[in-house]
Amino acid sequence: MRLLELLSPAKNLECGISAIDHGADAVYIGARKYGARAAAGNSVEDIAKLCRYAHRYDAKVYATVNTIIYDEEMDDTLTLCRELSDAGVDALLVQDMGLLTLLRKEQSDFRPTLHASTQTDNRSTEKVRWLAEQGFKRVVLARELSIGEIRDIHQAVPDVELEAFVHGALCVSYSGQCYASHYCFGRSANRGECSQVCRMPMTLRDADGNVIEQDKHLLSLRDMAQLENLGRLADAGVTSFKIEGRLKEADYVKNVTAAYSERLNALCKQHPDKYRRASMGRCTYTFTPDIRKSFNRGFTTYFADVNALPDDRKPMSSPLSPKSIGEYVGTVKDIRGRSLIVSSVEAFSNGDGLCFFADDRLIGFRVNKAEGNRLLPLSMPAELRRGMRLYRNHNQAFVTLLGKPSAQRKIDVTMELRPCGSNAEHETDKMAVCLTITDEHGHCGTASTTVEMQQPRSPQEDNIRKQLQKLGDTPYICTDIKIAEGLPFMPSSILSNLRREATSLIMEQAGTVKQEEKPRAHQGEATDIHQQPLYNSPELYNAANQEAKDFYSRQGQDSDAFELHGGKTLMRCRYCLRHELGHCLKSKHTDEWREPLTLSINNKQTFTLHFDCKRCEMTVRLTEEEERI
């Protein structure tokens, strides 16, 4: 049986607890520094609190230390990793191979296992195998991989845990291989400071200067949604299903986590001999999860079915706007003065945010007052017309509902009340009684006491059950109680004390997650059996410190970092503008564009597009003029 893990993002402690409450088996969170989302840092103290909370449910906490590290930062980074170990984190996500080298030398009491961040560009069997040999227990796969490619990797390297993104924002470039933000604005994506160049409006021209597309968000992708593909991904070998969003607020985390948790539960119920959730507890919600009601730019399954014919693939980008469009709610039936009538079955609320497309622009407005399907905007958009499709990107009633306690997670436990031990001859007037509480994963808590050998005057089973089931605000719910025959009278106060003590003991045991055995290469130097897939430019290794450079030098590779000495390629993408715009050279279309094609941002910075059709890869590179600058 294989454990399936739903992995949710945690911007902060509140979001982390919300994720656990709403069904996450694990959460990932950034520490004070060195995470790939610099704006989502947290204190070690808060991470320790999150660990204690998550471990009650056998859920795990992973800390992101997945930026490239400069020499002067290495000591501080190691200190942080040790603090995170002491805080109880279960794994560290790492990109920098210099940091990896030093972490492999840590003492045996170093708690976390190591996960290879998606920033290490994990898109082939050879790379995943090589990363495992370096000491990584898990590899976070590139978002661009198809389900078939994931299956091939799993079959070739079955002992490596595979983590795959299933929901959230998509980077247009392979993660770890995007340098556009650093080049354009001095903010490195590999340092957690991405300025999201890919979300900006761009103009596409051919070699003759003809404008193909003007001021469109040509590299801005829709959001990933693999809700319908979870079963196929599990069959392909995915262990952990990852939701993107460490900058998202708690309402997003609650809704999306609940939606995917329910779907994984259904999958495990359908295949009880094949899959089981990795943590404990059943969730109940005050709302109906719906991913359309949270931030989204429209959805795509991206390259899940990459082997489909080019003309059969659905659009992947959202060129008209990088903002959230939310869910479709109906069309404009009529406009009457300061109000509009919507043809819809949806219920609207004061404060809703609606939007529509007009003249290739996304235009939004706020509903000041809702009277059924008659809406009074705060300000009526001049571009709004009858028949236009409306989307709701802020559902006030839904957000308000999620702003309150919206889930309860309870762990099924069984109880057994019985005599225990043996009574001494001079204590024949007393009996030792034990209460044992056992949870879903076999954790036990046993409390004992002695009671007077006084026979109950009336049947006491109903009262025993009533007192023992009072688990209150603990994470437990009792599903079965076994009561031994012949017990003496059990006062309610004694039963309550036994329940509280046994509950405390099982919570303590469940909260102590066993330290996992490290992969073979975690301690000391790794034995590099396989060569890492080679890059054609040294900056693609992202080696920003001497430890990382020495690491690659021992493998006979020259390495560097774009952030130190620059490079020519800014993005390396599986996403292809030719295909997206209907000009794939592999399809039936006749090419009408003379290359090289160029992209310009605000008519200032211009870059050249190169297409490797054999590999289905597009790169964004500096023009010759930009190189000279």
Side-chain angles (χ1 to χ4, degrees):
M1 181 177 292
R2 188 148 56 86
L3 301 182
L4 302 183
E5 173 187 277
L6 177 60
L7 177 57
S8 294
K11 177 181 180 179
N12 49 36
L13 176 61
E14 176 196 359
C15 288
I17 290 176
S18 294
I20 298 298
D21 287 344
H22 288 73
D25 301 294
V27 295
Y28 61 106
I29 187 170
R32 63 175 181 267
K33 292 181 181 179
Y34 313 121
R37 295 291 183 272
N42 294 275
S43 69
V44 173
E45 290 75 19
D46 275 357
I47 294 174
K49 291 177 183 177
L50 180 58
C51 289
R52 288 193 291 272
Y53 189 83
H55 291 166
R56 293 181 185 179
Y57 301 92
D58 270 3
K60 295 184 178 181
V61 176
Y62 307 143
T64 58
V65 192
N66 57 339
T67 64
I68 57 174
I69 311 297
Y70 294 149
D71 282 311
E72 63 272 19
E73 299 170 332
M74 192 61 78
D75 287 344
D76 185 45
T77 308
L78 280 172
T79 297
L80 174 62
C81 290
R82 292 166 186 146
E83 291 173 354
L84 291 169
S85 175
D86 293 340
V89 300
D90 300 281
L92 299 178
L93 279 81
V94 175
Q95 174 189 187
D96 193 288
M97 293 300 157
L99 178 60
L100 169 71
T101 300
L102 297 178
L103 288 177
R104 289 190 309 208
K105 298 176 182 178
E106 285 296 302
Q107 300 301 313
S108 58
D109 60 351
F110 186 74
R111 175 192 180 90
T113 56
L114 300 180
H115 295 180
S117 169
T118 190
Q119 295 295 118
T120 54
D121 186 27
N122 312 321
R123 48 183 159 127
S124 69
T125 296
E126 293 75 20
K127 185 65 175 287
V128 172
R129 179 185 290 115
W130 179 83
L131 287 166
E133 289 167 355
Q134 308 314 306
F136 289 106
K137 179 185 178 184
R138 176 183 295 184
V139 173
V140 187
L141 297 172
R143 293 168 172 87
E144 291 81 358
L145 291 179
S146 70
I147 295 174
E149 289 166 330
I150 293 173
R151 179 179 292 105
D152 291 343
I153 290 173
H154 174 64
Q155 290 175 351
V157 198
D159 295 332
V160 180
E161 293 182 3
L162 300 181
E163 181 177 307
F165 283 92
V166 293
H167 193 91
L170 286 166
C171 298
V172 71
S173 173
Y174 285 106
S175 296
Q177 302 289 293
C178 183
Y179 309 104
S181 177
H182 180 79
Y183 178 82
C184 294
F185 303 106
R187 294 169 54 183
S188 168
N190 279 316
R191 297 276 295 164
E193 301 169 340
C194 180
S195 60
Q196 296 192 325
V197 173
C198 57
R199 302 294 182 190
M200 296 180 177
M202 299 179 181
T203 297
L204 178 68
R205 293 182 174 88
D206 66 12
D208 298 318
N210 299 313
V211 174
I212 300 171
E213 295 284 350
Q214 184 163 358
D215 293 332
K216 299 285 183 62
H217 303 271
L218 297 173
L219 298 183
S220 180
L221 300 184
R222 300 184 182 193
D223 288 358
M224 178 183 279
Q226 302 284 16
L227 199 61
E228 302 302 323
N229 284 329
L230 296 187
R232 295 172 63 201
L233 287 165
D235 287 343
V238 172
T239 293
S240 181
F241 302 82
K242 187 171 192 173
I243 298 169
E244 184 276 339
R246 277 199 296 124
L247 296 179
K248 296 293 195 296
E249 301 297 335
D251 61 325
Y252 178 95
V253 174
K254 289 179 177 183
N255 180 36
V256 177
T257 297
Y260 278 83
S261 183
E262 286 193 335
R263 195 62 62 92
L264 281 180
N265 284 342
L267 179 62
C268 292
K269 184 177 181 179
Q270 184 180 0
H271 303 283
D273 298 328
K274 193 174 182 181
Y275 303 127
R276 179 169 68 81
R277 294 294 295 273
S279 64
M280 297 185 294
R282 292 182 290 113
C283 298
T284 55
Y285 308 110
T286 64
F287 65 101
T288 301
D290 187 342
I291 59 173
R292 299 171 301 171
K293 295 183 184 297
S294 290
F295 182 103
N296 72 83
R297 303 174 177 90
F299 292 122
T300 175
T301 57
Y302 209 26
F303 290 99
D305 294 295
V306 71
N307 292 326
L309 294 174
D311 291 342
D312 293 337
R313 297 185 203 165
K314 296 179 180 180
M316 298 179 179
S317 66
S318 55
L320 300 184
S321 175
K323 298 179 180 179
S324 174
I325 64 171
E327 61 176 333
Y328 171 72
V329 290
T331 59
V332 178
K333 183 177 182 180
D334 198 6
I335 299 176
R336 302 173 184 173
R338 297 174 57 192
S339 67
L340 65 143
I341 309 299
V342 183
S343 178
S344 175
V345 296
E346 298 288 335
F348 296 94
S349 302
N350 299 346
D352 277 354
L354 300 182
C355 58
F356 60 95
F357 289 100
D359 300 324
D360 286 347
R361 291 185 300 133
L362 183 67
I363 300 171
F365 63 94
R366 181 180 181 274
V367 176
N368 196 41
K369 187 176 183 181
E371 298 175 344
N373 283 18
R374 179 173 178 263
L375 309 180
L376 285 81
L378 187 63
S379 176
M380 180 69 75
E383 301 86 349
L384 195 61
R385 298 286 185 272
R386 292 180 183 177
M388 283 186 167
R389 293 169 64 87
L390 287 177
Y391 301 84
R392 177 162 51 190
N393 54 13
H394 179 79
N395 188 320
Q396 184 61 51
F398 195 65
V399 171
T400 299
L401 185 59
L402 290 175
K404 303 173 183 177
S406 51
Q408 190 176 58
R409 182 168 180 168
K410 291 293 186 179
I411 301 168
D412 290 342
V413 295
T414 59
M415 297 184 181
E416 183 178 7
L417 186 66
R418 68 187 190 283
C420 59
S422 58
N423 295 323
E425 291 183 4
H426 63 280
E427 292 182 342
T428 54
D429 58 337
K430 294 183 179 181
M431 177 182 287
V433 178
C434 294
L435 174 66
T436 298
I437 302 179
T438 306
D439 68 23
E440 302 168 15
H441 286 184
H443 304 120
C444 294
T446 299
S448 61
T449 188
T450 56
V451 293
E452 300 289 338
M453 289 293 291
Q454 180 180 351
Q455 294 300 313
R457 297 179 179 177
S458 59
Q460 62 174 347
E461 181 175 333
D462 287 347
N463 184 60
I464 290 175
R465 293 184 182 278
K466 177 182 176 181
Q467 298 303 322
L468 294 184
Q469 287 178 331
K470 291 181 178 180
L471 292 167
D473 59 358
T474 72
Y476 303 113
I477 183 168
C478 183
T479 60
D480 185 44
I481 301 177
K482 294 181 180 179
I483 303 172
E485 296 182 358
L487 292 176
F489 172 63
M490 301 291 296
S492 295
S493 59
I494 288 179
L495 291 169
S496 296
N497 288 337
L498 282 172
R499 183 195 67 237
R500 282 193 290 267
E501 184 179 349
T503 301
S504 178
L505 290 171
I506 190 176
M507 287 181 68
E508 181 179 336
Q509 188 189 21
T512 306
V513 177
K514 293 181 180 179
Q515 186 168 337
E516 299 184 46
E517 183 180 351
K518 304 297 189 299
R520 166 180 56 83
H522 184 71
Q523 303 295 334
E525 292 296 327
T527 302
D528 302 321
I529 300 173
H530 292 85
Q531 181 80 5
Q532 179 185 15
L534 299 178
Y535 291 119
N536 57 13
S537 298
E539 71 271 10
L540 297 177
Y541 292 99
N542 295 331
N545 56 73
Q546 195 57 50
E547 283 285 353
K549 293 179 181 180
D550 291 344
F551 172 90
Y552 286 114
S553 179
R554 289 192 295 271
Q555 300 191 19
Q557 299 164 11
D558 292 330
S559 61
D560 206 346
F562 189 102
E563 289 75 4
L564 298 180
H565 299 108
K568 297 180 180 180
T569 301
L570 301 185
M571 293 183 185
R572 194 174 298 266
C573 317
R574 193 171 201 176
Y575 169 81
C576 176
L577 267 175
R578 275 192 168 279
H579 173 268
E580 189 73 2
L581 296 175
H583 284 256
C584 176
L585 296 180
K586 290 184 175 182
S587 73
K588 61 185 179 182
H589 297 291
T590 301
D591 186 34
E592 301 172 359
W593 302 337
R594 195 167 73 86
E595 294 191 9
L597 305 184
T598 58
L599 276 179
S600 59
I601 304 173
N602 299 323
N603 290 319
K604 294 180 180 179
Q605 291 171 304
T606 300
F607 309 107
T608 302
L609 298 179
H610 291 257
F611 301 92
D612 184 342
C613 294
K614 184 178 180 180
R615 298 182 180 179
C616 276
E617 188 171 277
M618 179 183 78
T619 54
V620 181
R621 303 183 190 177
L622 300 181
T623 62
E624 292 182 3
E625 182 179 348
E626 291 282 344
E627 286 185 44
R628 287 194 294 271
I629 295 174

